[in-house]
């Protein structure tokens, strides 16, 4: 959604974030007023000095007025300092609040939102767009208020001193205002394009850096380089357009200011030569300062308005995310303090989009303490069941119960605390092994982590690393092998002592040694605990209490390993025989 030239509703919404900082807000306004008064007072004192003390050669009066001008300059400097410092301080506190609120809102989204929202775009909204909002206060709103106040006070002084010379300046102002308005409209469009191109570039770079292994494996460096050049060129053109507009506007504004000053000097000079008592040399001296103080803010208001406009555009983008309520997960009220682990899917229908159902009326029951396995071809809906159990997505119809309680009624945080999951694609943060295991949970001590690691046979492997449990695995755990990452993820699940354990393809991409460790650990951790194992490698689930066979979103077979093997031409038997033949 594109922002208007000036969106009043959006502006009021931004100003609401100043409420916790009212004293500072009004303090900035007060210093803006003082700044405008002190700034306009200096040229007036200069006129008095020239006419009343320099021309009559009054040395005592000259020193007095020079001292007064020094005091006014000092007060103006102090006002400028506090005005700029408090305005920027206010802006930074406001974006701190908005960024916190935005991140909290992003954390509340369902997984469906992240399926279609580019990561680079979310990063742009959370970082650079919010930084731009701060400029509304540091470079936009208060600077504009200060400039307008300064212009009003300057005009009052000018009319008081010499209304004839002032009208010459007034007649020139509409021309500059008209040119400024055209410039502002052009820049608003240009800045919108700049923000779009920045978001596109962030998205592209983030995806390519994350997927650099794929880029290099498939020799796509040249292709991706050409794509980047194209995106970079569009970004460059967007900025060049803003540079062009600035290059045209500011010289024109300078010419208008200089011509106005020339007209004032010419008009005032002739009147002085003619002996006109209403115009003095002091007037001409002070007007050379007044015109700059009047025209420079008017010229800069366009630039500052553009800063504010960029902040408004950025705020519009950020608020678009904050207003995305349809993708926010609805939290329940029931606290899942400890679950027995009885799970029931009742005629569950689900789709990731409106085109095709992934699950087609699933009915499934898992008893407390059972270990069940779910098998089937890729796309059969195995992992979808896990996603729904964790409430990453909301089902289309049907219901899911844990201990006869609808999972929608559970408080989300407490529900997920009772479910531990080990995924095939393990994500590790750029942090120590210990912090990746505990995820900075203060309730899990280092001693508990070490004890758990010893129980499942991971302690020896961790101690061989430099620093042991304090070893930094770097971004996404690149310093570890895929098998080692799986072991860390398994230990992460174990130390949380979950009521329900889920292993989603947890041994599909690891070496035989790591698999042996996990198999041993699986026996310990699944004992007397409801466990769900999703696996392609059927050898890992032969001892499950029950095996669920899925195909195209439906349960097609159900039973123990031995029972399913007895079914001639059965789906599971064919799958097992084909896999056994391949492995042998």
């Amino acid at each position: 959604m594109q922002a208007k030239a000036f969106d009043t509703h959006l502006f009021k919404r931004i100003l609401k974030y100043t409420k916790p900082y009212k004293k500072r807000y009004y303090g900035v306004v007060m210093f803006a007023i003082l700044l405008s008064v002190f700034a306009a007072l200096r040229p007036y004192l200069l006129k008095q000095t020239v006419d009343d003390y320099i021309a009559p050669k009054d040395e005592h009066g000259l020193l007095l007025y020079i001292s007064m001008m020094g005091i006014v300059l000092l007060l103006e400097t102090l006002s400028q300092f506090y005005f700029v410092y408090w305005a920027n301080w206010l802006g930074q506190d406001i974006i701190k609040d908005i960024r916190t609120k935005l991140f909290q809102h992003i954390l509340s989204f369902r997984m469906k939102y992240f399926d279609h929202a580019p990561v680079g775009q979310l990063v742009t909204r959370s970082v650079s767009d919010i930084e731009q909002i701060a400029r509304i206060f540091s470079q936009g709103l208060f600077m504009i208020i200060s400039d307008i106040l300064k212009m009003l006070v300057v005009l009052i002084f000018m009319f008081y001193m010499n209304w004839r010379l002032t009208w010459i300046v007034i007649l020139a102002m509409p021309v500059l205002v008209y040119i400024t308005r055209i410039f502002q409209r052009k820049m608003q469009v240009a800045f919108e394009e700049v923000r779009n191109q920045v978001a596109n570039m962030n998205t592209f770079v983030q995806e390519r850096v994350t997927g650099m292994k794929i880029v290099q494996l498939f020799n796509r460096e040249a292709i991706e380089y050409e794509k980047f050049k194209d995106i970079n060129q569009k970004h460059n053109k967007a900025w060049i357009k803003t540079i062009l507009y600035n290059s045209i506007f500011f010289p024109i504004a300078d010419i208008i200011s200089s011509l106005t000053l020339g007209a004032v000097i010419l008009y005032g000079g002739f009147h002085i030569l003619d002996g006109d008592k209403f115009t003095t040399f002091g007037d001409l001296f002070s007007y050379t300062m007044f015109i700059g103080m009047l025209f420079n803010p008017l010229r800069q208001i366009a630039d500052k308005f553009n800063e504010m406009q960029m902040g408004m555009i950025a705020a519009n983008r950020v608020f678009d995310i904050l207003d995305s309520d349809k993708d926010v997960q609805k939290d329940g009220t029931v606290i899942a303090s400890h679950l027995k682990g009885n799970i029931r899917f009742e005629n569950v229908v689900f789709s990731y989009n409106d085109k095709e159902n992934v699950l087609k009326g699933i009915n499934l029951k898992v008893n407390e303490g059972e270990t069940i396995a779910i098998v089937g071809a890729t796309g059969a809906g195995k992992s979808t069941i896990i996603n729904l159990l964790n409430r990453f997505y909301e089902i289309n119809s049907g219901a899911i119960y844990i201990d006869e309680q609808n999972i929608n009624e559970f408080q989300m945080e407490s529900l997920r605390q009772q479910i531990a999951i080990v995924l095939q694609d393990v994500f590790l943060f750029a942090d120590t092994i210990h912090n990746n295991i505990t995820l900075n949970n203060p309730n899990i001590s280092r001693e508990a982590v070490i004890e758990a690691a010893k129980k499942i046979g991971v302690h020896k492997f961790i101690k061989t690393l430099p620093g042991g449990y304090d070893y930094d695995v770097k971004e996404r755990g690149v310093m570890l092998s895929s098998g080692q990452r799986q072991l860390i993820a398994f230990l992460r699940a174990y130390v949380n002592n979950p009521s329900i354990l889920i292993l989603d393809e947890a041994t599909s991409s690891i070496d035989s040694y790591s698999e042996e460790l996990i198999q041993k650990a699986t026996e310990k951790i699944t004992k007397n605990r409801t466990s769900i194992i999703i696996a392609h490698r059927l050898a890992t689930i032969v001892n499950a209490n029950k095996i669920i066979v899925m195909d195209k979103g439906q349960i097609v077979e159900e039973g123990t390993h031995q029972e399913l093997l007895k079914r001639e031409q059965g789906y599971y038997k064919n799958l097992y025989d084909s896999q056994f033949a391949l492995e042998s």
Side-chain angles (χ1 to χ4, degrees), residues 463-518:
K463 292 301 289 182
T464 61
L465 299 171
Y469 287 88
D470 294 317
Y471 180 63
D472 190 345
V473 301
K474 305 300 181 183
E475 188 174 1
R476 300 181 69 86
V478 295
M479 302 304 291
L480 302 178
S481 69
S482 59
Q484 290 171 333
R485 289 197 295 270
Q486 281 289 4
L487 290 170
I488 297 301
F490 199 90
L491 184 54
R492 176 195 289 170
Y494 187 25
V495 297
N496 278 281
N497 191 27
S499 300
I500 299 170
L501 174 68
I502 298 168
L503 304 180
D504 187 359
E505 309 283 7
T507 60
S508 64
S509 61
I510 62 177
D511 56 84
S512 57
Y513 174 73
S514 299
E515 183 178 355
E516 185 180 346
L517 284 177
I518 287 183

Side-chain angles (χ1 to χ4, degrees), residues 255-499:
I255 290 171
I256 294 171
S257 177
S258 298
L259 290 174
T260 304
L261 178 59
V264 167
I265 297 295
L266 185 65
Y267 178 84
F270 275 121
H271 277 265
I272 291 174
L273 293 176
D274 290 340
D276 185 358
K277 296 181 181 179
F278 291 103
T279 304
T280 66
F281 283 107
D283 290 332
L284 297 185
F285 270 100
S286 61
Y287 268 70
T288 58
M289 294 180 65
F290 275 137
I291 290 173
M293 295 172 66
L294 193 64
F295 277 48
N296 285 340
L298 186 62
R299 184 186 69 176
Q300 292 169 5
I301 279 177
D303 194 38
K304 289 164 186 173
F305 194 89
N306 288 329
E307 288 286 353
M308 193 162 76
Q309 187 62 48
M310 284 187 72
M312 297 276 280
I313 292 169
N316 198 57
R317 295 173 185 274
V318 171
F319 289 146
D320 274 347
I321 297 177
L322 287 172
D323 293 337
S324 300
D325 292 332
K326 66 177 182 178
D327 290 311
V328 173
Q329 302 176 91
K330 293 180 175 63
D331 208 355
T333 56
V334 178
I335 304 295
S337 57
H338 181 74
L339 300 175
K340 294 179 180 178
N342 292 298
I343 302 170
R344 178 161 56 91
F345 280 64
E346 193 174 275
N347 200 30
V348 172
V349 176
F350 172 76
S351 62
Y352 289 103
N353 52 52
D354 299 330
K355 296 178 181 179
E356 183 181 2
N357 288 333
V358 178
L359 298 184
K360 304 167 184 177
I362 293 294
N363 289 288
L364 172 64
K365 187 175 182 181
V366 185
N367 295 320
E368 175 187 351
E370 274 190 338
T371 296
I372 73 159
I374 304 176
V375 300
T378 301
K382 306 184 298 297
S383 295
T384 300
I385 286 180
I386 306 310
N387 288 334
L388 298 182
L389 192 61
N390 281 278
R391 287 199 63 197
F392 290 146
Y393 298 86
E394 300 297 331
I395 61 178
N396 296 9
S397 63
I400 303 174
Y401 299 91
I402 298 180
D403 296 348
E404 298 305 317
Q405 184 84 48
N406 192 310
I407 63 169
N408 291 336
E409 297 172 1
F410 282 118
Q411 186 189 59
M412 199 85 67
E413 182 180 354
S414 67
L415 173 65
R416 290 175 180 166
Q417 282 177 345
Q418 297 299 314
I419 302 174
I421 182 168
V422 179
L423 298 170
Q424 178 183 5
D425 184 18
V426 177
F427 186 94
L428 297 181
F429 294 94
D431 206 335
T432 64
I433 284 181
H434 177 265
N435 289 341
N436 269 289
I437 292 168
T438 64
L439 295 178
N440 296 302
N441 185 343
N443 297 320
I444 303 175
S445 66
R446 180 174 286 257
E447 291 73 23
V449 171
I450 294 173
E451 184 182 350
K454 288 178 178 177
K455 282 184 179 179
I456 66 173
V458 182
H459 179 70
K460 283 186 179 179
F461 137 65
I462 295 176
K463 292 301 289 182
T464 61
L465 299 171
Y469 287 88
D470 294 317
Y471 180 63
D472 190 345
V473 301
K474 305 300 181 183
E475 188 174 1
R476 300 181 69 86
V478 295
M479 302 304 291
L480 302 178
S481 69
S482 59
Q484 290 171 333
R485 289 197 295 270
Q486 281 289 4
L487 290 170
I488 297 301
F490 199 90
L491 184 54
R492 176 195 289 170
Y494 187 25
V495 297
N496 278 281
N497 191 27
S499 300

Side-chain angles (χ1 to χ4, degrees), residues 82-102:
Y82 282 108
F83 171 73
V84 173
Y85 179 72
W86 281 21
N88 280 273
W89 184 15
L90 178 64
Q92 288 301 317
D93 277 345
I94 287 170
I95 66 167
K96 175 199 68 178
D97 295 344
I98 296 177
R99 184 179 281 122
T100 301
K101 185 176 181 180
L102 177 66

Side-chain angles (χ1 to χ4, degrees), residues 102-376:
L102 177 66
F103 189 73
Q104 183 181 38
H105 195 66
I106 290 174
L107 290 174
S108 70
F109 282 143
R110 301 188 188 111
M111 286 297 112
K112 185 177 181 181
Y113 180 85
F114 301 101
D115 291 341
H116 60 76
V119 175
Q121 191 177 83
L122 291 176
V123 171
T124 301
R125 301 292 176 268
S126 303
V127 182
S128 59
D129 277 345
I130 288 187
E131 285 295 336
Q132 192 62 49
I133 295 174
R135 297 178 73 84
I136 292 177
F137 300 94
S138 62
Q139 301 295 325
L141 173 65
F142 292 123
M143 290 295 181
I144 291 173
I145 291 173
S146 174
D147 286 343
I148 290 174
L149 285 172
K150 188 181 293 184
M151 290 164 62
L152 288 173
V153 174
V154 164
L155 281 172
I156 291 170
F157 272 90
M158 289 171 72
F159 270 111
Y160 174 75
M161 288 166 51
N162 193 316
W163 62 268
R164 292 182 179 87
L165 296 181
T166 303
W167 274 112
I168 297 174
V169 179
I170 294 292
L171 291 173
M173 288 181 67
V175 179
L176 186 56
V177 170
Y178 177 72
I179 294 172
T180 300
R181 182 60 177 160
I182 294 174
F183 171 71
Q184 183 272 321
R185 286 175 177 172
K186 294 289 185 183
M187 289 296 281
Q188 192 269 329
V189 175
F191 279 138
E192 175 72 20
E193 178 63 18
V194 166
R195 299 311 304 165
N196 286 332
Q197 294 305 326
V198 168
N200 290 340
M201 181 174 288
N202 284 347
T203 300
F204 183 89
V205 172
Q206 190 274 333
E207 286 182 346
R208 271 57 185 184
V209 171
T210 303
M212 186 58 70
K213 183 179 289 186
I214 298 300
V215 171
Q216 294 183 353
L217 278 172
F218 289 89
N219 297 313
R220 289 186 58 85
E221 292 94 334
I223 296 171
E224 298 302 335
Y225 173 68
E226 291 300 324
K227 284 184 178 179
F228 179 78
K229 278 178 63 178
D230 182 56
I231 293 173
N232 197 28
Q233 182 65 28
K234 289 178 181 177
H235 177 264
N236 176 259
K237 284 183 178 179
W239 273 111
I240 292 289
K241 193 177 289 185
T242 67
I243 294 169
L244 174 64
Y245 293 149
N246 277 298
S247 301
I248 294 172
F249 171 74
F250 288 106
I252 292 176
D254 284 337
I255 290 171
I256 294 171
S257 177
S258 298
L259 290 174
T260 304
L261 178 59
V264 167
I265 297 295
L266 185 65
Y267 178 84
F270 275 121
H271 277 265
I272 291 174
L273 293 176
D274 290 340
D276 185 358
K277 296 181 181 179
F278 291 103
T279 304
T280 66
F281 283 107
D283 290 332
L284 297 185
F285 270 100
S286 61
Y287 268 70
T288 58
M289 294 180 65
F290 275 137
I291 290 173
M293 295 172 66
L294 193 64
F295 277 48
N296 285 340
L298 186 62
R299 184 186 69 176
Q300 292 169 5
I301 279 177
D303 194 38
K304 289 164 186 173
F305 194 89
N306 288 329
E307 288 286 353
M308 193 162 76
Q309 187 62 48
M310 284 187 72
M312 297 276 280
I313 292 169
N316 198 57
R317 295 173 185 274
V318 171
F319 289 146
D320 274 347
I321 297 177
L322 287 172
D323 293 337
S324 300
D325 292 332
K326 66 177 182 178
D327 290 311
V328 173
Q329 302 176 91
K330 293 180 175 63
D331 208 355
T333 56
V334 178
I335 304 295
S337 57
H338 181 74
L339 300 175
K340 294 179 180 178
N342 292 298
I343 302 170
R344 178 161 56 91
F345 280 64
E346 193 174 275
N347 200 30
V348 172
V349 176
F350 172 76
S351 62
Y352 289 103
N353 52 52
D354 299 330
K355 296 178 181 179
E356 183 181 2
N357 288 333
V358 178
L359 298 184
K360 304 167 184 177
I362 293 294
N363 289 288
L364 172 64
K365 187 175 182 181
V366 185
N367 295 320
E368 175 187 351
E370 274 190 338
T371 296
I372 73 159
I374 304 176
V375 300

